[in-house]
Amino acid sequence: ECQKQFRARPAPDLSYKPPSATSTPRQLTEPSPFRIQSGSKYSTPGKAPSTLTTEEIRAQECQKQFRARPAPDLSYKPPSATSTPRQLTEPSPFRIQSGSKYSTPGKAPSTLTTEEIRAQECQKQFR
């Protein structure tokens, strides 16, 4: 009783309708005259270029000049001979281990018995 009753929207009308015969013709675009301004953008307003004094012309040229930042100095400068010499690092001996992962430092891999290998594996498990 309180619920709204379901009502479906009507299906769209897909029948063909010919275009109307009373369409209004479009008005043609009429070009308007354009104005070209040459040189007035860069000159000072109110003064003709010939009436400027030489001081004003130099002041304008100085304002227009582009000045870039100086490039960084990338030249190589070798270390001076008076600097304290560094102490050389002395190499320490190194160990190269090759062979089986079960070998011990004192024994060759072929001299280990299967019981010793199993004992080493058990020790690794309980560490």
Side-chain angles (χ1 to χ4, degrees):
E1 294 175 18
C2 294
Q3 282 186 334
K4 280 188 167 183
Q5 193 170 8
F6 174 75
R7 185 171 182 177
R9 289 190 225 160
D13 184 21
L14 299 175
S15 62
Y16 176 73
K17 295 178 186 174
S20 62
T22 60
S23 63
T24 58
R26 294 184 180 178
Q27 294 180 348
L28 296 176
T29 305
E30 294 180 16
S32 60
F34 57 93
R35 292 178 237 145
I36 297 178
Q37 298 177 353
S38 61
S40 63
K41 181 178 179 181
Y42 302 106
S43 65
T44 55
K47 291 187 177 181
S50 62
T51 60
L52 292 174
T53 62
T54 56
E55 293 175 3
E56 291 176 341
I57 292 173
R58 287 183 186 164
Q60 285 182 355
E61 288 176 357
C62 289
Q63 289 175 353
K64 291 180 185 178
Q65 265 187 337
F66 174 76
R67 185 164 191 155
R69 286 184 274 162
D73 184 21
L74 300 176
S75 60
Y76 174 72
K77 297 174 185 171
S80 63
T82 60
S83 64
T84 57
R86 295 182 182 176
Q87 293 181 351
L88 298 177
T89 306
E90 294 190 21
S92 60
F94 56 91
R95 289 184 260 164
I96 298 177
Q97 294 182 354
S98 62
S100 174
K101 63 179 181 178
Y102 302 108
S103 66
T104 55
K107 295 184 177 180
S110 61
T111 59
L112 289 176
T113 62
T114 55
E115 292 175 8
E116 290 175 339
I117 293 171
R118 286 184 189 158
Q120 286 179 358
E121 287 178 355
C122 288
Q123 288 176 358
K124 288 180 183 177
Q125 286 179 357
F126 295 113
R127 282 189 184 177

